[in-house]
Each structure stands twice: as C-alpha cells, then as structure tokens.
Amino acid sequence: MLCISTLVPSSFTAAEGEPAEEFLKRLRAAGYYDLADAYLERVTNYPGVSGRLKSSIPLEKAQNAIDAAIASRSVSQRDEAFEQAESQLQAYLDANPSHERASEARSTLGKLQMVRAAQYMSGEPDNEARKNARDTYAKAATTFENIQADLKQKLEGMRGAKIDPVKDPEKATLRDQYRFEYLMARQNTGEAQLMGAKTFEDPSKDGKELLEKALAEMVELSEKYDDYVIGASAFRVRGDIERLLGQKDKAIESYTRMLEQGEADALREPKIGAATGLIKLSLANDPPKYTEAIKQGEELEKSLRPNEKRLPASQELRIELAKAFVAMSKDEENTKPNERKRATSDARQLLLAANKVDGPHTSETQALLAELGVEVSDEMVELPTADEPAGFDEAFASANQLVQTSQLLTEQVKKLQADKAPADQIEEVQQSLVDARKTGVILLRRGLSMIDSESDTTQINEARKFLTFLLQQEGQYRDSFVTGRYLAQNAPGTDAGLVGGVLALGSAQTLITQSGDREAEYWLKELKSVGDYLVRVWPDDPKAAAAQDIMVRLALSKDDFDSARKLIDEMADGPQKFMLARLFGQTLWNDSIGLLSEDKAEEANKQMKAAAVELQRGLDGISGGLVSMEGYQAALTLAKIRLRLNEPQAAVEVLDNKQYGPIANREKLDQPTGTMISDLYRTELQAVVGWMTSSDQNADKLLDRAAGAIDALRENSKGPDGEKRLVGTFVSLATDIRNQLDTAPPAKKAKLIDAFNVFLTRIADSTKDKATLQWVGQTLMELGQASMRPGQVKADGQAATLLQSAADTFEGLKDPSENGLTNRFLLGKTYRMLGEYSKALNELESVLKQKAMMLDAQTEAALTYEQWAGQLDSKFAGRAYKSALSGGRPGPDKKNTIWGWGRISQLTQRNEQFREVFFDSRYHVALCRYLQGKATQSDALIQQSLRDITSLIVLYPELGGPEQKKKFDALIRKIQKDAGKPVDGLPEPKAP
C-alpha cells in the first residue's frame, strides 16, 4: 500500500471548492482504502469541503471499510473490515440520529448485517455459525424496522400538508423518496426474518415464528401496495414463505398472483422465481407431478431475455425444470422410451446452460449432470484458430508440442487444486488446457490432409494416435472411435495401432453410457468387434487385455453373467483375469442381496455360492500378499458369504489367510476408511461367535479373539462421531445375532445364547465404555426376549437369567437427564419381561415425564399395566386393567403421565405413519375391557368389549391387515363364548 505522505503531503492546502467527494470515489476505485481513511482524517482542515461531508466522516470511513472488505482475498482481513464498518456505522447513528444521511446510514448498516449473516452460512455451517447468522439477521431486521419507524413518522407528518407536485416539486420528490424507502425497508425486514428462519436446519419447525413475521410483512406489502413494484414483487417472497410453512394452497395462490402481474421489466425476475416455486410444489408430490411442473416452467425458460439468462433466478428455474425432466425420464410406467430419452436430453441441456453461469448453484448443477453421466468444464469456449501449417511435418511437430503442453497443464491443474489455489487461477490454466487441445485437433486434421507418398508412416500413425487422444479428451467420442479404429486396423502389430484401438474402446464405452437403447446396442457391437480384433492381433500385450476388461465390465453392467464368465474363462491366467474374477464375484454377491430383498431365497443362495467360487478364484490368484483395497473388499465379501452359508470356520479362515486375508494383511494396506475397518471387525466378531457355537473349539481362546475384535472396533471409533458409529455397529450386530437365533435349531440356539451370555458379561466386566455397555445390555435383552416361549409373559429359566443381566447393565448406566431416556426405557421394558411391574412403571414414568410423546414408552407402559393385571388377584386386577385402558400416574397437572391404550389409539388414529400402532392399541382396548369385565364379573364391560371390535370393523373392514384381523377374530370368538353368544367370529363389515 502506498504511504499517504507520498500522495498527500502534510503541507497540502486545498483550493476553494475542494472536490473532496470525487477524490474519495477515485481513491476507492483505485483500491487505496487506507489512503482514503487518512484523507478523511485531514479533510476537516481543508477549506471548501462541504459541511455535509465533514459531518458524516464516520459514514464515509464505514464505506471505505466495506469496499476494502469486498476487495479483500483474505477471510480474516475481510471479516475485520466488515466489523470495523459495522461499528463505525453504529457509532455514527448513535451520535447523529437525525442527520440528513442517517437514513442512508441505517440502510447501509442493515445491508451490511445481511451480508455478514450470509457469510456465516457459507459452506457447511455448524451450529455456532448458524446461531451467529441468526443473531446477525435479527440485528438487520431491527435496523430495517427502525428505518420503517423513522420514515413512517416523516410520511405521517407530510400527510396533512397538501403537496402539489407542480407548485412544490421538491417536496413531492422527497415524499416519493420517503415512500419508496419505507416500502424497501419493509421488504428488507421481511427478507431478514426469512433468512433468519433459514438458518435453522428445519425452518418450518424451528423457524416458524420468524417465518410468520416475515409473512406478515409480505402480506401487508402485497395486499396494500401492489400498485408499486416492491409490493407486487412481494407475492413471490410471500409464496416462498408459505411453501416453507407447508401452506401449499396459499403458496400456489401467491405464486399465481405474482405471475398475473403486469409486464413491467422490474417484475420479470420475481415472476421467474414464482414459476420456480410452482415447479418445486409440483415436484414435492409423491409421485412428483412432473408434467405439471414442465408446463409451469418450460415456456418461461425458453422466453428468457438476453439480460435474464445469467440471473441467479434463471439458473434456479433451469435446475428445477431439469429435475422435472429427470423425473419424467425415470417414469417407465407412464412414458414411452423415446419420451424418456428426450426428457433426459432436455434435462442435460438445461443443466449445461446453468453450468455456464458461475454462482452458488454450480455444485448442485454439476452433481445433477454427473448423475446424467455428463462431465463439463466450468465454461464453454469457442473453437480456437491455428495458423495454416506449411505441411504435415510442421503440423505434426506443433501438435506433438501441444500434446506435451496439455499433459503439463493437466498436472498443473491437479497441483493447483490440491494446493487450493484461487479459483480464477485454476480457471485460467484450465482455459489454456482446453485451447491447447482444440488447437492440436485443428493442426492434426490439417496436417493429415497434407500427407503424401513421401510422408513417414511412423509419424502418420503417431499423428493419428495424438488425434484420437485429443478428440477423446475434448469429448468428441464418435470421431475418436473412428480415428482410433482406423489406426488399429491400418497399423497392426505397432504400439500406435494398439493405443489407437484401446482409445477407441474407451470412446465406445462412453458412447454406450450416453446413448439410448438402440444406439447403445450398435456401439456395443462396434466395441466387441474392435475388442476381438485387439485380442487377436496383440494376444500377449497387457494393453490388449483392456479390451476384455471393458467387455467384461459391460457384460456385468447388463447382468449378462454367462457372457462375463465365458470372457473371464477365455483369458490367460494373470493379474487382470484374477481381478475381473473378483469383480465378477462382487457383482454376483450384490445380485444375491437384491434377490434376498425380493424374498427369492433359493435364487439368492445359488447366486451366493457362484459368487464364492469367483471370489475364491480371484483371491487365489493374488501373489505377494494383499496390497489393494479392491482385494481387501473381495476377501471381506467372501468371508461374509461363508457366514451367510453357515460356514463360520471357513469365514475365519478367509480372514486369516496369509496371502489375501484382511486380518492377516491388515498392516500392509493403505489406511482404509473407518467404515471399512468397522465392517471388517464386525464380520470377524460374527464369524468367531458362530464358530464358537458350532464346534468343540476352545471357547476361552475364541472369547479372547472376540474381545480383541471388540477392542479393535472401539479403537476405530474415536473422534467426534466415533461413539455414534460404535453404537450403530454394535446395535447392528445385536440385530444380526437376533436374526441368527430366530432360525437356529433348539440345540444350537441354547448353546449360542449360553456362549454369548458369557461373552457379553466378560466384555461388560472389562469396560466402562458407555456405548459398549449399552450394546451389551440391549443384546442381552434381545437374547432374553428371543428365549421366551410364544405367548409367555413373565420370563423364567435361561430367559430370566439373560434379562436380569440386561437389567443389571442398564442399572449401571442410569442417567436421570434426557440423555438417559433410551437406557431407562430399555430398563423398564426389561423389568416388564422379568415380571417386576412396579419397577418397570417407575422407569417408564421417569421417561414419560421428560418426553410424554415417546410413543414406544407409552405403549410399553400400557402393556405393563395389562400384564401386571393378569398376575393379580381378581379384586385388584380390575383396577389394573382400568389403568391399562385409561392410564395412570397423574402428574402435578392432574393429568395421567401414562396415557393407556385408549388415548394411544385416539392420538394415532388419523396418522398413517402410526397405522400399526393404532390397530394394535384398539386390539388391546378390547382385550383389556374383556379381561376387566371377567375380573369384576361385569357383563356390561364384556358386552362393551364386543362393541369395541364390531364398531371398529365398520370403519376399518380390513382391521390393519391379515395378521391383525386374525388376532381380532380369535379374541371376539373368546368373548362370544364367555358372553354366551354364538361363536361365529368377526361379523361381515357393513357400510357405515
């Protein structure tokens, strides 16, 4: 920065009429912000400077700081400058609340606060950043509200005076200015409140109060001042807020009223935003109403004016419209193949247009393009020109140099990106790279058109190789394929011919992924033709194996497993063949999981065995030990398959294999992700436990290994998300064990439970880790519950032992705060199954006092009352059944903390999400009423229990599904029998 004394000597004396404001503008335009501050420090000493400027020096300094912040590339310097500007503006307003520029200062302060708030929300803000942004938006809203109050007072003062614009134009102009500034302040107030609400992760829930305040401002503006541009444009913001609040119909009305406004240029952008809002509402439906969305936005997007095509609102319109076309392309049931293909093309074109414009939408645009299989550069560039070469030799030499230059530029881009260089610097290098490639294509095409009988054949082949490469890099895949295939067929046995063929394969592969079904079939045949040719002409060259690699991968992508197996079998033994065998095995494994999800167990089992064969073949081909993550994942998958096939010992042997075992070779690998390590030791834990319960191996030795796997899991779970990941892993394992128990034969089931009980108790005794202990308790509870006989209410024997161990574990974890809700809920559930109903209700009551809406706890408490009643003498049972029905444990407000089955059914009746809970609770209402009637010998209650069921079937003939209906039928038959009525089960449903 220049020293001030260089340009403004201390002896400088201004001439009369010092152009101070113009000089300030020039200093700011030149970026001399420190100099501008120094000038303001001295300006009061200069003659001729206006009193207006002298009295507003803090305001001018604040403007210097704002300009400096905007120009700064340093985040810390920018933030410091913004803070300085805000404090100067506030100080100016505190000292000069009635100054002629006070309104300007307040407006600048509010806008500055909006900018600062937006900075807090940039990137991926954490909770602290969100709070800072929210507080700053609140300050901005207050600033704009103060402007409103000041201007409203001034306008009210003018209301009585009859101002004639012809006789008193200055006053009329001032009044219009105040009115405009007042409306602008109202708009800014609403937008600050809206943006403040958006700082919450769930604005509609946590920011509802702010949204409603913002909506009030926009409703006032749009209804009272729609004759003004600001008032008319408020319909768009009003619609956005209503959409966030879930007020769909009102949002549609606001957006529609926005689109019905006149054709003023100033209203074009709000109209674009309104159309975008309507598209979002249409796409929010399930399934999305894409036809309606396309109708709402397509014509408007096509009619965008040249000055509108780069607006942020236009890019948002294009993105949402593209999403509608993508939704259409995925609707195979209602759209024809050519329509889906056209929709994909339309989506791609919209996104490419949006991608040409820089802005916050860029990352979303490129992510959507990537989903469509399109890679794009940041900007579209015009084809560069090149000087006409004198001949082929000159063209080849120039192109050779350009190819080398493009390779250097590619490396430079990667380095700049790794070093997080400024975006404009990276873009500049990328632009140079694009220019180099395009110039190379031009030169090579011109040069190849000049070849003659004296041209060197080797250089001609090299030129075609370079041309094939550059065309592929530029995305001209058709031309690249044709040139590469021609080179391969006309230069057999040469390296250039082989490289040309391999490049042609890559271009064909890309064309297959980008084309429709019919065109893709054509390119698949072309690829196979070139691939077969390369393998035949260059049978022993590793590069030719790339042809088979591509063909295998394409066969797998189309689930053509027979062709993939045949291609792999025909390959010579070597790393490429074994890698493809592992890939084939992984694909078969994934297919088997899909078959399981479709309840095709037999087909899944067959596919799983085939996957094991291919994975074993591929892993046996690994020499020198496991070094790649791909091999690591293949071995881990094989171990999982052995577990699925009930071969736990074989799974352990895979993990321990010296050549390819993930456990044996763990230290040789690059650091896998935390998820992969957790998956590895989770699989080891399952395999060890399975082996321990299916053989006569030394249980202590296997228990030690299982404990080691637990330690490894815990060690991998450090850091901010570690405990959460560890709990998730343990809970998932507990679920797997429960599933294993459900299908285990009785002898194995008992052995599995006994061994695992010892194992869990051993872990619990050796750790204080809360996540591990929670898993231990939950697993013991799951095992105990699984050990209970069907229909058993109170556990005994092995089940009671397991549940008591679970209760002891949960007791050690008790936490009276809300952080302990889950453990106390699980403890209450465990006590219920142990038959310790009073203890169970105490725990569940403590949970519900803190979280009354915890539905699992409410149903558990009602069930506890119900089961307790079944264990009591008849003179006490009636009261307990009543508590199961109507709730109990009243709080200070005299309302029952525990709701009971009756209220549970009332609160879940109209919510489809809780449909199963509703029917289950209605079943228990009828059951408890019937049992209460028996206990108290009340025929009226027994008759009421019958009506509970018959009235329900009138409203819900299916009674929640076949299983629930079967339960209701069994219950009503029992009631009919005790009531002395014909036992004919559920009545036929009648119309209500």
Side-chain angles (χ1 to χ4, degrees), residues 498 502 505 527-549 551 567 570-572:
L498 177 57
V502 173
L505 287 175
L527 182 146
K528 190 174 187 309
S529 172
V530 174
D532 290 342
Y533 172 78
L534 294 180
V535 174
R536 186 172 68 253
V537 176
W538 289 274
D540 300 321
D541 195 298
K543 291 179 184 175
Q548 288 169 303
D549 183 294
M551 288 189 287
L567 286 164
E570 291 172 351
M571 294 177 70

Side-chain angles (χ1 to χ4, degrees), residues 42 71 84 117 213 219 274 281 306 310 326 350 362 396 412 438 448 573 586 662 672 739 803 835 883 907 971 981:
R42 301 182 181 188
Q84 181 183 355
K213 288 182 178 179
V219 169
L281 286 170
R310 299 186 67 84
V326 169
L350 286 164
T362 302
F396 176 75
Q412 188 176 352
K438 288 187 178 292
L448 286 168
D573 286 352
Q586 291 276 28
N739 292 339
L803 289 170
S883 295
L907 295 177
L971 176 58
K981 294 180 178 293

Side-chain angles (χ1 to χ4, degrees), residues 187-199:
Q187 182 187 61
N188 289 335
T189 301
E191 290 190 352
Q193 291 163 340
L194 170 60
M195 297 307 295
K198 288 184 176 181
T199 61

Side-chain angles (χ1 to χ4, degrees), residues 458-603:
T458 302
Q459 281 194 349
I460 293 172
N461 290 337
E462 285 295 306
R464 290 193 173 117
K465 182 178 78 173
F466 289 157
L467 180 57
T468 305
F469 169 75
L470 291 173
L471 287 167
Q472 188 181 79
Q473 293 296 303
E474 281 300 293
Q476 300 181 42
Y477 299 112
R478 294 172 184 269
D479 290 351
S480 175
F481 175 81
V482 172
T483 307
R485 179 178 60 182
Y486 178 86
L487 176 58
Q489 292 173 342
N490 287 274
T494 67
D495 180 71
L498 177 57
V499 171
V502 173
L503 288 170
L505 287 175
S507 294
Q509 187 179 12
T510 303
L511 287 165
I512 290 169
T513 62
Q514 292 183 354
S515 304
D517 292 343
R518 185 178 300 176
E519 193 175 356
E521 194 66 32
Y522 166 79
W523 286 111
L524 186 60
K525 291 178 181 177
E526 292 294 306
L527 182 146
K528 190 174 187 309
S529 172
V530 174
D532 290 342
Y533 172 78
L534 294 180
V535 174
R536 186 172 68 253
V537 176
W538 289 274
D540 300 321
D541 195 298
K543 291 179 184 175
Q548 288 169 303
D549 183 294
I550 291 172
M551 288 189 287
V552 170
R553 291 176 186 273
L554 281 171
L556 292 178
S557 71
K558 293 180 172 294
D559 292 340
D560 187 356
F561 299 137
D562 290 339
S563 295
R565 185 179 286 107
K566 184 174 182 294
L567 286 164
I568 295 171
D569 290 343
E570 291 172 351
M571 294 177 70
D573 286 352
Q576 190 76 6
K577 175 177 181 176
F578 297 129
M579 184 275 292
L580 289 173
R582 295 193 294 273
L583 175 63
F584 186 22
Q586 291 276 28
T587 306
L588 289 170
W589 158 254
N590 293 336
D591 189 59
S592 72
I593 297 300
L595 290 168
L596 279 176
S597 69
E598 297 171 8
D599 294 329
K600 298 178 181 178
E602 187 175 342
E603 294 176 51

Side-chain angles (χ1 to χ4, degrees), residues 678-918:
S678 294
D679 198 16
L680 170 63
Y681 290 114
R682 176 174 170 271
T683 304
E684 181 190 20
L685 195 57
Q686 287 178 284
V688 169
V689 172
W691 190 10
M692 182 172 62
T693 57
S694 61
S695 70
D696 296 325
Q697 290 291 315
N698 187 319
D700 287 340
K701 184 177 179 181
L702 290 174
L703 279 171
D704 286 341
R705 176 158 183 179
I710 286 287
D711 290 339
L713 277 169
R714 189 183 300 116
E715 181 65 25
N716 180 56
S717 301
K718 293 179 178 178
D721 296 325
E723 186 171 327
K724 183 178 180 181
R725 188 166 62 240
L726 182 63
V727 171
T729 299
F730 285 163
V731 169
S732 177
L733 179 57
T735 303
D736 288 346
I737 295 166
R738 174 68 187 274
N739 292 339
Q740 190 176 351
L741 281 168
D742 288 342
T743 57
K748 182 180 177 181
K749 185 174 184 179
K751 191 174 183 181
L752 182 68
I753 290 173
D754 283 338
F756 215 69
N757 188 21
V758 173
F759 163 59
L760 292 174
T761 305
R762 183 169 179 170
I763 295 173
D765 291 342
S766 63
T767 183
K768 293 182 179 179
D769 182 73
K770 290 184 178 180
T772 304
L773 289 171
Q774 180 176 335
W775 170 71
V776 168
Q778 188 164 356
T779 305
L780 285 165
M781 188 195 76
E782 294 275 356
L783 293 175
Q785 188 175 11
S787 302
M788 294 173 69
R789 298 180 298 279
Q792 184 180 8
V793 172
K794 183 177 178 181
D796 57 14
Q798 187 184 50
T801 302
L802 290 165
L803 289 170
Q804 188 59 57
S805 296
D808 293 342
T809 305
F810 289 135
E811 283 285 1
L813 291 171
K814 278 183 71 169
D815 177 357
S817 72
E818 289 195 16
N819 293 330
L821 283 173
T822 299
N823 277 323
R824 283 184 278 126
F825 165 71
L826 293 172
L827 179 57
K829 183 176 181 179
T830 305
Y831 277 141
R832 174 184 61 78
M833 289 186 285
L834 282 167
E836 298 187 33
Y837 303 111
S838 180
K839 288 184 178 180
L841 289 170
N842 288 340
E843 297 302 329
L844 294 168
E845 181 186 20
S846 75
V847 169
L848 294 171
K849 281 183 175 179
Q850 291 176 322
K851 194 172 183 180
M853 299 300 290
M854 186 173 176
L855 193 57
D856 286 346
Q858 288 289 1
T859 57
E860 187 65 33
L863 184 60
T864 302
Y865 271 127
E866 178 184 313
Q867 292 182 353
W868 193 3
Q871 305 295 313
L872 295 171
D873 291 335
S874 57
K875 60 181 179 180
F876 302 115
R879 183 177 177 184
Y881 281 124
K882 184 178 180 182
S883 295
L885 281 165
S886 305
R889 303 284 176 120
D893 58 357
K894 307 300 182 182
K895 293 182 179 179
N896 286 339
T897 303
I898 296 171
W899 295 343
W901 292 119
R903 189 174 178 204
I904 291 171
S905 66
Q906 291 172 3
L907 295 177
T908 57
Q909 181 175 7
R910 301 186 183 281
N911 194 326
E912 187 66 24
Q913 180 183 352
F914 303 119
R915 176 182 175 84
E916 186 176 342
V917 178
F918 167 68

Side-chain angles (χ1 to χ4, degrees), residues 32 66 111 233 310 352 469 652 655 695 791:
Y32 297 145
I66 292 170
K111 291 174 183 176
S233 63
R310 299 186 67 84
L352 286 171
F469 169 75
V652 174
L655 296 172
S695 70

Side-chain angles (χ1 to χ4, degrees), residues 52 55-59 87-97 99-103 105-106:
R52 181 177 184 273
S55 63
S56 54
I57 287 175
L59 179 56
S87 63
Q88 286 171 334
L89 284 167
Q90 193 62 61
Y92 169 78
L93 287 168
D94 291 343
N96 304 278
H99 191 270
E100 59 180 303
R101 297 183 67 186
S103 178
R106 289 191 187 95

